Amino acid sequence: MMNLFSALELGKNSMLAQQQVFQIIGHNIANVNTEGYSRQVVDLESVSPSVIGLKDGGRGVNLAGIRSIRDRFIDSQITERKQYNGYYNSLSGAMATVEALFDEANGLGLSDSLSNFFNAWSDVSNNPTDIPTRNSLVSKTQSFALATRNSYQQLTDQQEVYDASIGTLVDDINSIAYEIAELNEKIAYAESSGNPANDLLDARERRLRDLSEKIGINFYYEQANHSVTIEVAGRPLVSYSSVNELSVQRNQYNSNYYDLYIEQYGLPPLDITTEVINGQMGALITARDGQTVTGAGQITAAASAGGLTTLTFSQAHGLSVGDLITINGETRSVTQLSAGNQVVVADFTTLPAVGDAWQERNGYIPEYKKQLNKLAGGLIYNINALHQQGYGLNEGVAPLRDFFQMSTAPAGVTVTGVAGNTVTFSASVAATLNVGDVLTIDGETRLVSSVAGNTVIVNNAFVAATGVNWEYANIQGAANTLAVDSAIAADSSLIAASSLATAGVGGAVGNNDIARQIAQLLAANNVVDADNNGSGDYGTFHEYLHDLYAEIGNASSTAQYELDANGSMLTYLQDKRDSISGVSLDEETANLMQFEKSFQAMGQFMAVISQLTDVLMDIT
Amino acid sequence: MSMRPVESTWYRDFIYNLNRTKTRYDDALSQTTSGKKLNHLSDNPADMAYVLTLRSKIGQIDQFEKNINSASGFLGASESALNQVQNLLSSVVSLAEQGASESTGAQERNIIADNIDQVRDELMNYANTEFMGNYIFAGSATDTVPFVKAADTWDAVNNIWIPGVVTYQGNSDTINIQADFSTTVATNVPGDQVFVNQNDIFDRLSILIQALRRDDTATIGTQISSMNELIDQISESVGTIGNKTSHLTQIKGMLEKFKTAMESKMSSLEDANMAEAISNLSREEVALQAALQAGARIQRFSLMNYLE
């Protein structure tokens, strides 16, 4: 039965309910610029009479709930898109830096330095006895060698930067994962008490997006406890309130760079470095190590001996010395290439099984470094081979001199026999020489086509070498150590420009044959061993270098293009989300006006009821 | 697009589009200030690679021209030396004819012989010409004096002095330079080829001198025709040098044409068309201005403005 006091009660409850609305409107307006905020609406419901059916009226309005307007599908799409954004953002940034290292556009780059180097040889061929011209050649060589070494070193420096970034990124990712786990708990608690945790849900969505940008994730919403389960590379990262942390460990087989690990329940951490292919983390790993691809064919045999494992593949593997190979999550680097599609690597913790798949990493910085090495190797091979046949000024006996510095033979390892293409050493040279390396014996320079223990086969037969002296140059790292021979640097008269003896009266000091031939290498084809099999197959030197630039330019422009495309898609999705969840100030203002009026009206009602109550009071 | 645009949509789109306009403006500015279309490896990788190849080829052509100029210098010096030698040999012919004449006395013949001996020495000096510190007629032994003369010897039988024997110390090597991608040209003629191999000039002169000193008119007579052979021999070498020089000039001409074509191709790929670049820049400036002005107008109108 309705009475005046229950009318006051109705008034009071209604005004309280409507005050809540003001709160929410204010909350929305305050958060108009908050990233990822979903606007909240109040659900009001009328309160039914205490006993239905009698002639009692309703008891006003009640706050049924506060809910946020969100579309989980759009939210998921945005989160997913963020991982590509993160990836291409980082990758295009990395490639822009690499591009800047090769400033060819302004004529100050490696290509011009190479031209200057060969032109200096031409100048010597025009005037072989002139010392200043020879000194100029030495100085141009040193410039070029320095430019090459610097380019190589700067690429390595970039890898170290990415490596360090991976380390700090892991900390960021772990801290976000913990935040999400905490939010999962809080949301579950709130929702289970029947209170919608709208702002917490927004906060969790924001964290999810941040996480996705940093490392590609798969995520699922759990019905049971309203939590989000997050997986990285197919392994759980966040599961309700528990977190399997990411960690990093240095990999001695990958220049001591970080490998990425994820905790596993009841098991040791798992190496997922090659599985992370999106987000900022994916870009850093790709830029540093190359893009992970599945290797061709499978393992047909794996044999371990003396700490080294020999792997046999079912088909040509296309690997070079120093390449990274990953089997069952373990990464090693190739130390040796053998015949019959075999490679030798350091032992794995578990020996690979026949039929196992394998992964390699292609392109990006390791590939650019390899190409610089091959360029340097090609120069060392071709130029030294000619130079060793020449005479410096005032030399009667062939000095068999190197132009570019080579490495001295390891102590105690001597040549025991030279027969045609085959060289036999006194001990195994497998740790010293590899396919494609440059080998010089008694002033005759060749390329190694295969190494097996003590035996080395070269690309062309030796003519007169007997094995008294030998030296070599590794292709791997050739660009890092390229230098003019130290004796020549000290005395340019030792440059062997002449093909005939130059000593004494009638000595052919004006002969420029060797210098001229070396200068002509600039236009020579097949001077670089691009496929690393012990014989030159690509040239000219400039073409090889320019191919490298084209590769870098393409990688950079592709990354930029993808970033733009993704950026545009992301903007579209965010606008779409806004149209559903975004706060419209005009809408909120209209609501404000609407509830202001009704609040005022309620107030008036209360005033009237109060007056009526006074009338009753006055009766007594 | 969406049925319910909100303020944040406007700002987000404004910033997004503004950035793109600014990027286009930045590119236009870059092109105008650097004068180049290709400023980074990624601007157009294929064109950039082509431009670099052209640049390296042009560099090689410049070097070839340098080589040719160096060779031309050498050849020029050889030619002028040999021209002088020709003049000297002509003067020897006149002197010899004088000496052959019946009216010349023995005393006079001696004087003529001494003259010719001096000419022989002068000829040797020309054979020992240096150019840029190198002996040009020594083959590739360019720091060795090509011709040396021993001391005169006394011929007791005829009571005359025999002019010192001239020996060649150089070698027969030719020095070649690279004139273009596939052509090498010799820059020298070895001294033995010029002065010795066909006929030993110094020897012949010595014979003439001895004949004069001996009053051997018969021999003097025969030696005059041999002098003419010597002149022909020198002329042959001069001709060879002339051929080389004109060959080099021809190659240089072709290289110049080649270089011009490549430079123009390179420019078309790499250089920005200034008129186009500047008009692009103006256009982007206007676009940027419009975008900024539009941005300032966002949210000019709002329900808040109209509340009492």
Side-chain angles (χ1 to χ4, degrees), chain B residues 29-305:
Chain B
L29 188 63
S30 232
Q31 276 197 26
T32 313
T33 50
S34 73
K36 299 227 177 284
K37 278 188 284 199
L38 303 173
N39 291 302
H40 308 105
L41 288 181
S42 58
D43 286 339
N44 188 333
D47 276 3
M48 181 59 110
Y50 196 16
V51 163
L52 290 174
T53 303
L54 288 172
R55 196 186 293 163
S56 76
K57 286 256 185 303
I58 289 171
Q60 282 177 274
I61 289 181
D62 283 341
Q63 184 64 38
F64 288 141
E65 289 185 356
K66 214 171 159 188
N67 296 352
I68 288 175
N69 288 342
S70 167
S72 301
F74 224 76
L75 289 168
S78 304
E79 196 170 343
S80 32
L82 290 183
N83 283 334
Q84 295 302 322
V85 167
Q86 281 173 315
N87 291 341
L88 288 177
L89 286 175
S90 299
S91 71
V92 167
V93 169
S94 327
L95 287 170
E97 279 167 352
Q98 234 189 311
S101 157
E102 292 296 328
S103 53
T104 318
Q107 186 81 344
E108 258 187 280
R109 289 211 178 93
N110 264 327
I111 295 172
I112 292 174
D114 287 343
N115 275 344
I116 296 182
D117 200 5
Q118 272 179 345
V119 170
R120 185 172 179 263
D121 285 344
E122 239 185 291
L123 209 151
M124 199 180 85
N125 281 341
Y126 279 115
N128 289 340
T129 304
E130 273 180 77
F131 177 70
M132 308 267 279
N134 294 313
Y135 291 109
I136 59 181
F137 291 115
S140 65
T142 54
D143 66 347
T144 304
V145 179
F147 292 99
V148 285
K149 194 178 89 159
D152 292 354
T153 51
W154 178 252
D155 183 356
V157 172
N158 294 305
N159 280 327
I160 54 164
W161 281 103
I162 302 177
V165 174
V166 172
T167 33
Y168 181 61
Q169 294 191 117
N171 61 24
S172 318
D173 209 9
T174 44
I175 301 173
N176 297 306
I177 53 100
Q178 199 78 32
D180 74 15
F181 295 97
S182 52
T183 313
T184 58
V185 172
T187 64
N188 69 324
V189 258
D192 53 353
Q193 194 180 314
V194 180
F195 298 106
V196 178
N197 292 350
Q198 263 188 325
N199 296 299
D200 188 333
I201 290 183
F202 299 104
D203 218 36
R204 290 295 184 85
L205 286 174
S206 179
I207 292 172
L208 176 59
I209 292 167
Q210 288 175 59
L212 281 164
R213 286 182 177 155
R214 278 193 326 255
D215 270 339
D216 181 350
T217 46
T219 313
I220 297 171
T222 52
Q223 284 307 303
I224 289 174
S225 53
S226 102
M227 283 301 119
N228 287 322
E229 268 174 37
L230 297 180
I231 294 178
D232 287 342
Q233 180 174 315
I234 300 290
S235 301
E236 218 179 284
S237 288
V238 172
T240 309
I241 292 174
N243 284 341
K244 289 195 218 290
T245 308
S246 60
H247 190 198
L248 286 176
T249 310
Q250 192 190 23
I251 293 175
K252 194 165 172 187
M254 272 172 32
L255 286 175
E256 275 298 316
K257 269 194 252 176
F258 204 30
K259 181 173 156 180
T260 309
M262 289 200 287
E263 275 176 336
S264 112
K265 180 71 187 167
M266 196 168 92
S267 169
S268 78
L269 288 172
E270 158 176 74
D271 292 340
N273 176 333
M274 262 311 155
E276 210 181 296
I278 290 177
S279 96
N280 274 347
L281 185 61
S282 311
R283 195 184 63 209
E284 296 305 334
E285 254 175 32
V286 168
L288 185 59
Q289 220 178 7
L292 289 169
Q293 278 177 343
R297 299 164 80 103
I298 294 176
Q299 244 189 324
R300 275 232 302 234
F301 304 105
S302 147
L303 191 49
M304 296 284 191
N305 298 1

Side-chain angles (χ1 to χ4, degrees), chain A residues 39 99 104 119 122-123 126 129 500 506-512 516 520 568 575 578 582 585-587 593, chain B residues 4 7-8 12-13 16 40-42 45 55 63 66-67 134 140-141 143-144 173 176 178 184 303 307:
Chain A
R39 65 194 168 99
E99 261 194 282
E104 290 297 340
N119 285 347
S122 273
D123 287 343
N126 289 341
T129 53
L500 299 172
V509 291
N511 180 300
N512 66 355
R516 192 184 51 79
Q520 267 313 92
S568 139
D575 285 351
D578 272 357
L585 287 181
D586 291 337
E587 236 175 67
M593 278 162 40
Chain B
R4 183 176 169 273
E7 286 75 15
S8 54
R12 179 183 307 110
D13 286 353
Y16 179 73
H40 308 105
L41 288 181
S42 58
R55 196 186 293 163
Q63 184 64 38
K66 214 171 159 188
N67 296 352
N134 294 313
S140 65
D143 66 347
T144 304
D173 209 9
N176 297 306
Q178 199 78 32
T184 58
L303 191 49
L307 290 180

Side-chain angles (χ1 to χ4, degrees), chain A residues 143-154:
Chain A
S143 286
F144 172 70
L146 182 66
T148 306
R149 292 197 305 268
N150 277 349
S151 296
Y152 190 86
Q153 186 56 46
Q154 281 166 345

Side-chain angles (χ1 to χ4, degrees), chain A residues 247-303:
Chain A
S247 60
V248 286
Q249 274 181 46
R250 298 220 174 264
N251 184 341
Q252 58 169 301
Y253 303 107
N254 184 16
S255 313
N256 266 337
Y257 293 143
Y258 285 131
D259 271 353
L260 189 63
Y261 286 84
I262 189 167
E263 247 184 290
Q264 291 186 103
Y265 183 71
L267 292 170
L270 182 68
D271 186 339
I272 53 166
T273 321
T274 53
E275 313 277 338
V276 174
I277 52 171
N278 269 316
Q280 211 182 330
M281 181 66 86
L284 286 172
I285 294 175
T286 298
R288 185 195 73 187
D289 292 344
Q291 186 149 46
T292 304
V293 293
T294 316
Q298 308 140 328
I299 315 278
T300 53

